[in-house]
Amino acid sequence: MLDETLLDSPERLTDADRRGLLRGAAEAGARVRTAARHAAEAGVGNLKPDGRPRAVLIAGPGAAATHAADLLGTLAGAGSPVTRLAPTGVAPAAGALRWELPGWTGSVDLLLIATPDGTEPGLALLAEQAYRRGCTVVAVAPARSPLSESVSASHGLFIPMATAPYDHDEPLAGAAPGVLWALLTPLLALLDRTGLLEAPPEAVEKVADRLDRIAERCGPAIVTYSNPAKTLAAELADSLPVIWTEGTSAGPAGRRFAAALAELSGTPAVVSELPEALDAHSTLLAAGADPDDFFRDRVEETPALHARVVLLRDRPIGGLTAAPAARDLALGHDTPISELEPQAGGELETLAELIAITDFAAVYLTLASGA
């Protein structure tokens, strides 16, 4: 059950935030600036690549690497394929995971390693394997971690991850807000230098500024009725989030939101892109509309989760859109709907806004539900 009184008590929210999730969301802009500075100090801005890589491979544990690969692949488009290397192993532990390069990997490809840990022996072995194949290696991980030594020995480029003191108080969640931006920002700068996507320093600074503004709008001191993240968290209480996305940037934001809800608060969610979502989830919404619900014995039965649509959009209302059909489908099945659409700006800025608001919402839902 969601404790809505906690949402409007900054002191209680702070006390409940044992993993520093709110701080990570609030300091996302600062984390972007620090990560960009680390990338510049590592020499990313001075690189003179011979051309675009044939393929970009991304390896790392858990949600952080998955989201980074998803976001970079979306931003890069069809210029060069961006592929996440999924690990194998008997457990999701640093010492148990192993990664393998595809057989075709060679000197015209680029391997990116992104990890908030840096102690995984499997990633060190992967860097050595890439070196033997002639594949360029770039890693983002905590400074002075074992991985930094392995990448240096493999003549790769190591970029220290932007961290905060409270990152070491509790184990880092892969979906934690600060982790994503600390790993993603240096990779954006790198792929900008390769010509794979556009993320010049001024665009990254605009992302940091947008994240700062969202932190002001969604911070713990802002009351629920004027705080879009707290409002969304309250709306999702005791519901099954059905996340629909429209627009290129909204897709990875929606998938990250679903993953963050599951990892941080234990809330199951389903996600799909419009217009295909209308067919994919039509039966799901119809199953939740029970005309006999009024006569249920609410004392004896555990209340069922009812769907709530969350529509994330990154395109103007005046363009070609399936949003009206989505609203009609949801309301036709008596399913409530929440909508988020970022303010105008570049692709990176609008993507950052969608991620920031949904990150805050996932954190508030986690803290107010006692997860």
Side-chain angles (χ1 to χ4, degrees):
M1 297 293 292
L2 187 79
D3 181 2
E4 292 195 34
T5 63
L6 185 142
L7 290 177
D8 286 328
S9 175
E11 295 79 11
R12 293 176 61 200
L13 282 170
T14 301
D15 292 340
D17 187 22
R18 294 183 297 274
R19 291 181 287 176
L21 298 175
L22 266 181
R23 285 179 292 181
E27 297 173 3
R31 194 79 69 116
V32 167
R33 294 186 183 92
T34 302
R37 187 178 71 251
H38 286 183
E41 292 172 350
V44 169
N46 298 323
L47 295 177
K48 296 180 174 58
D50 296 329
R52 290 187 176 189
R54 177 181 62 178
V56 178
L57 307 172
I58 300 182
T66 301
H67 299 155
D70 192 9
L71 290 163
L72 293 175
T74 299
L75 294 169
S80 289
V82 177
T83 304
R84 176 182 178 251
L85 300 180
T88 59
V90 297
L97 297 176
R98 292 293 182 271
W99 290 262
E100 291 291 335
L101 291 174
W104 45 262
T105 306
S107 59
V108 293
D109 303 311
L110 173 63
L111 172 64
L112 306 178
I113 299 177
T115 171
D117 188 336
T119 64
E120 303 90 347
L123 289 177
L125 294 173
L126 181 68
E128 295 172 6
Q129 183 184 6
Y131 174 64
R132 292 194 298 270
R133 299 270 196 97
C135 177
T136 301
V137 180
V138 178
V140 182
R144 294 180 295 278
S145 61
L147 181 62
S148 66
E149 300 176 5
S150 300
V151 171
S152 298
S154 301
H155 300 280
L157 175 64
F158 179 82
I159 304 173
M161 174 183 168
T163 59
Y166 55 82
D167 284 346
H168 308 290
D169 295 341
E170 296 281 345
L172 284 174
V179 175
L180 173 68
W181 294 111
L183 296 179
L184 180 64
T185 303
L187 301 182
L188 287 172
L190 175 72
L191 295 188
D192 176 72
R193 292 297 299 169
T194 66
L196 195 61
L197 51 78
E198 292 187 8
E202 57 270 20
V204 173
E205 183 61 30
K206 288 182 179 179
V207 168
D209 292 341
R210 181 71 66 100
L211 291 172
D212 286 344
R213 290 197 293 271
I214 297 303
E216 293 175 358
R217 289 175 54 200
C218 298
I222 307 301
V223 295
T224 299
Y225 68 82
S226 59
N227 186 320
K230 288 183 178 180
T231 298
L232 181 57
E235 292 171 344
L236 292 179
D238 301 320
S239 71
L240 172 66
V242 179
I243 303 168
W244 291 346
T245 67
E246 185 173 55
T248 304
S249 297
R255 291 186 286 273
R256 171 173 167 78
F257 187 31
L261 288 172
E263 182 176 353
L264 300 180
S265 69
T267 301
V270 293
V271 60
S272 184
E273 297 186 14
L274 291 177
E276 290 87 352
L278 301 180
D279 282 336
H281 293 158
S282 177
T283 303
L284 172 64
L285 299 189
D290 183 2
D292 298 323
D293 182 71
F294 181 79
F295 299 101
R296 277 198 307 108
D297 187 343
R298 290 171 171 76
V299 175
E300 297 297 332
E301 296 182 17
T302 300
L305 286 178
H306 290 280
R308 184 179 190 98
V309 171
V310 179
L311 178 57
L312 305 181
R313 305 179 64 224
D314 68 351
R315 60 179 57 179
I317 294 176
L320 183 64
T321 174
R327 297 185 190 103
D328 290 344
L329 178 63
L331 298 178
H333 290 302
D334 295 325
T335 301
I337 183 169
S338 304
E339 298 190 39
L340 288 179
E341 182 173 346
Q343 297 178 1
E347 186 176 20
L348 278 175
E349 290 179 79
T350 58
L351 177 59
E353 180 169 334
L354 286 175
I355 290 175
I357 294 177
T358 52
D359 274 353
F360 267 107
V363 170
Y364 284 129
L365 185 61
T366 299
L367 299 179
S369 61

